Amino acid sequence: MAVKARMEAVLNVGLRVPSIMLLEVLYRWDVSSFFQKIQRSSLNNNPLFQYKYLALYLHYVGYILSLVLLTLPRQHLVRLYLYVLTALLLFAGHQLSRDYVRSELDSGYEGPLYLEPLSMNRFTTALLGQLVVCTLCSCVMQTKQIWLFSAHLLPLVARLCLVPLETIVFINRFAMIFTGLEVLYFLASNLLVPYNLAKTAYRELAQVVEVYGLLALAMSLWNQLVLPVLFMCFWLVLFALQIYTYFSTRDQPPSRERLLFLFLTSIAECCCTPYSLLGLVFTVSFVALGVLTLCKFYLQGYRAFMNDNTMHRGMTEGITLLILSVQTGLIELQVIHRAFLLSIILFIVVASILQSMLEIADPIVLALGASRDKSLWKHFRAVSLCLFLLVFPAYMAYMICQFFHMDFWLLIIISSSILTSLQVLGTLLIYVLFMVEELRKAPVENMDEVIYCVNGTYRLLEFLVALCVVAYGVSETLFGEWTVMGSTIILAHAYYNVWLRAQLGWQSFLLRRDAVHKIQSLPMASALQLQQHNDICAICYQDMKSAVITPCGHFFHAACLKKWLYVQETCPLCHGQLKSQSQPANAAPAPDNPPANQNALEAERGEAQRDHSVMLPMLGSAPGSWSNCSHVHSATHL
């Protein structure tokens, strides 16, 4: 059953690809230019080419037929292809019969076949061909009435019976007319099938729209037609034909530089219509999804598919390509200009893929550093991928600077790669700090301060890079050419990557400063108080050699409580407000106001454990830069 389902899925996609190919051909076909060429040629006197408007109507009818083939149900589509295949086989049988009659007329031999070896060979070849055609037609149409497809055997039977050659010509024409009448009878008997099918489809569509709405109908058609896979297969076929055409017309193999130019120009040739552009968009989406899947598999193995992250589906890269192509008018350019612009757009797409890879790798790398996992292979995979994400974006930025002149748009593109390298560098530094603490076999007292400084440093560098981009854009706008699109991009970049980064960074700094002040205002527990309390810290569940006392009388590690105060200003146990107030250091702790029973106390501690979230604040994190290059680092360190 699984194999049958896969075969049906393959047929559902493969049988619809020709309809999109036909749409592509019809879109590229310029009818007016075609008729202008006809008028300048010798075919101008042909009556077939006198009716220009009839050809235009047929052009639009071709669009309608293509859309019908695209949306036809699979079982009806299979049946239609079987009918078309049968018609092609009958035409092949007609061609075999006509070629045989012509060869016999050219030879002029009318005697018995067995006396002439060449005539016998021609007869045997034609007979075998006609038998194969008849057998295939009966198998395709699923009928045992093989005589319906054997009209082209009449010239062979007549030749075997020593009928004169002139008479065989008329017999061959009769066989052709008889086959044509069979086809016309079949078409007439099924004339109302398209109407009934359209009527049934309209009734079902009306019911779906009435019950579920247009959105449900669109989603249903999207799932049934599998449009992403369909357009991807269509574009790959188009690209393969383009490559084949190029190599079939060249005698010598191209050089490496020529191969890169060939790759870009072939892609540019295959995105000159809306249909091929959509095919390229879905192809890029699937390629991005494959790269991200390989990245997760490289980091986690088969465990990556058990908890699949639905955020990284490759659609971001495809949508980025589509927006940039529509915004720049990609399909309206010449091939060379289109290839030039496409190289920049693909660079942006690759930068977005690298950023998505970093979003996958960052939590895994930090978790390995903070955990006690001693598997060298896991650490090697994580660190090697981070090193790749550190070096490759910088290399891309260097290469694009070598080929293009620096301007505001190019600076925005390069800044995304630089920011990715900075984020990877910050992740690696935090990972190294975690590993150093692990090797020391003892917790570092001020580890959170060090991590905060590392995060703050590379967040500050990100802010400076974004500020330099905005400053360069403003100077180019003031002293160069002013455009509405450029000004819009500058404002968006200034808001998301400069203003929001500065605002969030300042808020993070204020929260940390307030947390430090609150901790300093709380009294420290004495050794006698710790001995009487004889408990662990409710945040990290470790023994307390030193602790601070909250106004509600609870004991915590100062560092643990400070991390908690980054999140909220309440006690982790009783959720009372932790206001800054003076309290003697040797004051006895207030009664814990125990709950009604011990179970309530345990439930309260369990709730505090669930609510606990230790975060490493940063100087800022812009929610979505121009090329999706902002990233949020967070880690849990107990």
Side-chain angles (χ1 to χ4, degrees):
M1 294 300 292
V3 176
K4 182 180 179 181
R6 291 180 180 178
M7 290 296 298
E8 290 179 352
V10 171
L11 287 176
N12 188 39
V13 173
L15 296 180
R16 301 183 194 277
V17 171
S19 61
I20 308 183
M21 296 289 293
L22 183 58
L23 287 173
E24 176 82 6
V25 172
L26 291 173
Y27 190 91
R28 293 191 182 193
W29 184 35
D30 190 353
V31 181
S32 300
S33 300
F34 173 74
F35 273 93
Q36 290 177 1
K37 293 179 181 179
I38 293 297
Q39 290 175 358
R40 293 192 294 265
S41 65
S42 60
L43 296 175
N44 189 27
N45 297 325
N46 194 327
L48 184 62
F49 297 101
Q50 297 296 322
Y51 302 99
K52 178 179 179 180
Y53 293 102
L54 178 60
L56 288 175
Y57 291 144
L58 292 177
H59 185 259
Y60 295 133
V61 169
Y63 274 109
I64 297 174
L65 292 177
S66 301
L67 293 176
V68 170
L69 290 178
L70 183 62
T71 57
L72 203 63
R74 186 180 63 250
Q75 58 273 19
H76 296 283
L77 194 61
V78 171
R79 190 177 302 174
L80 177 62
Y81 273 97
L82 292 179
Y83 293 157
V84 173
L85 179 60
T86 303
L88 293 177
L89 288 173
L90 291 176
F91 179 75
H94 165 67
Q95 290 294 111
L96 287 174
S97 179
R98 188 184 64 175
D99 293 341
Y100 174 73
V101 172
R102 284 182 178 179
S103 61
E104 289 296 313
L105 288 176
D106 293 339
S107 66
Y109 177 73
E110 296 185 359
L113 296 176
Y114 57 87
L115 296 179
E116 179 66 28
L118 293 178
S119 181
M120 188 66 184
N121 290 335
R122 289 193 297 269
F123 177 83
T124 305
T125 303
L127 179 63
L128 290 176
Q130 294 293 350
L131 290 177
V132 170
V133 168
C134 294
T135 304
L136 290 177
C137 288
S138 61
C139 292
V140 170
M141 297 301 293
Q142 296 180 355
T143 178
K144 295 182 179 179
Q145 299 177 353
I146 195 172
W147 59 270
L148 293 173
F149 316 103
S150 58
H152 296 302
L153 288 172
L154 292 178
L156 297 176
V157 175
R159 181 67 183 89
L160 190 63
C161 297
L162 301 179
V163 176
L165 296 179
E166 292 79 5
T167 308
I168 292 179
V169 174
F170 291 102
I171 293 176
N172 184 43
R173 292 178 181 175
F174 170 77
M176 181 183 66
I177 294 173
F178 180 78
T179 304
L181 291 176
E182 284 184 327
V183 174
L184 291 177
Y185 173 77
F186 177 81
L187 293 176
S189 60
N190 294 275
L191 188 61
L192 296 179
V193 171
Y195 171 75
N196 295 329
L197 184 61
K199 184 178 179 181
T200 303
Y202 174 77
R203 188 185 303 113
E204 293 179 357
L205 292 178
Q207 291 178 355
V208 172
V209 171
E210 182 180 358
V211 176
Y212 301 104
L214 286 175
L215 182 60
L217 175 62
M219 293 300 297
S220 177
L221 290 176
W222 180 279
N223 294 328
Q224 290 180 6
L225 300 180
V226 201
L227 288 180
V229 180
L230 177 61
F231 273 94
M232 182 192 67
C233 294
F234 153 70
W235 191 86
L236 290 177
V237 171
L238 202 64
F239 183 73
L241 290 176
Q242 183 68 28
I243 295 294
Y244 174 76
T245 303
Y246 178 85
F247 281 103
S248 61
T249 56
R250 297 293 188 276
D251 297 332
Q252 297 179 354
S255 59
R256 188 175 66 176
E257 292 79 8
R258 187 68 180 176
L259 283 176
L260 179 60
F261 180 75
L262 169 64
F263 178 75
L264 290 175
T265 52
S266 299
I267 296 178
E269 285 282 358
C270 296
C271 61
C272 58
T273 65
Y275 311 107
S276 55
L277 179 60
L278 284 177
L280 178 60
V281 167
F282 287 115
T283 303
V284 168
S285 298
F286 279 102
V287 170
L289 176 60
V291 171
L292 297 179
T293 303
L294 287 177
C295 174
K296 289 187 286 187
F297 178 76
Y298 179 72
L299 289 174
Q300 296 179 298
Y302 291 102
R303 293 188 297 110
F305 304 103
M306 299 174 60
N307 298 319
D308 194 11
N309 188 0
T310 57
M311 291 178 58
H312 305 286
R313 291 297 185 184
M315 292 305 297
T316 302
E317 289 74 20
I319 294 174
T320 301
L321 174 64
L322 179 61
I323 292 175
L324 293 176
S325 300
V326 173
Q327 182 181 356
T328 56
L330 181 67
I331 62 176
E332 300 175 359
L333 301 176
Q334 297 296 327
V335 176
I336 300 298
H337 298 156
R338 197 185 307 140
F340 174 80
L341 180 59
L342 198 60
S343 62
I344 301 178
I345 295 177
L346 290 178
F347 179 90
I348 299 173
V349 171
V350 172
S352 179
I353 294 176
L354 294 175
Q355 183 66 31
S356 299
M357 293 174 63
L358 177 59
E359 292 175 358
I360 295 173
D362 181 75
I364 298 175
V365 173
L366 295 181
L368 281 175
S371 65
R372 298 297 185 264
D373 195 337
K374 296 183 179 180
S375 175
L376 295 179
W377 176 235
K378 291 182 180 180
H379 287 270
F380 171 78
R381 289 183 297 181
V383 174
S384 61
L385 183 61
C386 285
L387 291 177
F388 170 77
L389 295 177
L390 176 65
V391 175
F392 189 70
Y395 175 75
M396 288 175 54
Y398 170 76
M399 291 301 297
I400 199 171
C401 290
Q402 298 296 318
F403 289 100
F404 300 101
H405 177 69
M406 179 63 67
D407 58 0
F408 174 63
W409 298 95
L410 185 61
L411 187 60
I412 291 179
I413 297 171
I414 294 174
S415 66
S416 65
S417 299
I418 296 175
L419 291 176
T420 300
S421 298
L422 288 176
Q423 293 165 6
V424 175
L425 185 60
T427 301
L428 286 175
L429 288 176
I430 296 175
Y431 169 80
V432 171
L433 291 175
F434 285 159
M435 294 306 298
V436 169
E437 186 181 37
E438 171 65 19
L439 293 176
R440 289 184 57 182
K441 301 298 182 181
V444 180
E445 185 68 23
N446 296 323
M447 176 59 75
D448 61 321
E449 299 289 342
V450 177
I451 293 177
Y452 178 80
C453 293
V454 172
N455 279 323
T457 301
Y458 81 81
R459 290 298 177 187
L460 179 60
L461 292 176
E462 290 179 0
F463 174 78
L464 293 177
V465 170
L467 188 62
C468 290
V469 171
V470 172
Y472 186 88
V474 171
S475 63
E476 191 177 66
T477 303
L478 293 177
F479 302 103
E481 183 180 358
W482 182 87
T483 60
V484 176
M485 180 59 65
S487 302
T488 304
I489 294 298
I490 291 174
L491 291 176
H493 199 70
Y495 176 74
Y496 286 106
N497 288 341
V498 176
W499 171 250
L500 288 184
R501 285 181 189 272
Q503 189 179 30
L504 294 177
W506 181 249
Q507 290 177 358
S508 175
F509 172 75
L510 293 180
L511 287 175
R512 188 175 187 88
R513 188 187 63 179
D514 293 342
V516 172
H517 288 169
K518 286 185 175 66
I519 293 298
Q520 291 177 353
S521 66
L522 295 177
M524 296 294 297
S526 64
L528 180 61
Q529 289 175 333
L530 290 174
Q531 184 178 3
Q532 291 176 353
H533 186 68
N534 192 22
D535 201 354
I536 60 175
C537 176
I539 297 178
C540 66
Y541 294 99
Q542 301 294 326
D543 294 332
M544 290 187 292
K545 297 181 180 179
S546 63
V548 294
I549 307 175
T550 62
C552 51
H554 295 124
F555 288 65
F556 302 98
H557 286 139
C560 296
L561 187 59
K562 182 170 62 175
K563 295 175 186 178
W564 174 269
L565 292 177
Y566 299 157
V567 182
Q568 52 183 325
E569 299 180 356
T570 59
C571 176
L573 289 178
C574 66
H575 300 288
Q577 290 294 327
L578 298 181
K579 298 179 181 180
S580 300
Q581 62 182 17
S582 299
Q583 181 176 348
N586 56 356
D592 283 347
N593 296 327
N597 51 44
Q598 188 66 21
N599 292 333
L601 178 60
E602 295 298 331
E604 188 175 326
R605 290 188 177 181
E607 182 182 358
Q609 180 185 2
R610 289 191 300 270
D611 291 341
H612 170 56
S613 172
V614 180
M615 301 179 63
L616 301 178
M618 299 151 286
L619 280 178
S621 175
S625 62
W626 188 81
S627 63
N628 193 23
C629 60
S630 62
H631 185 57
V632 178
H633 290 298
S634 61
T636 300
H637 179 64
L638 298 180

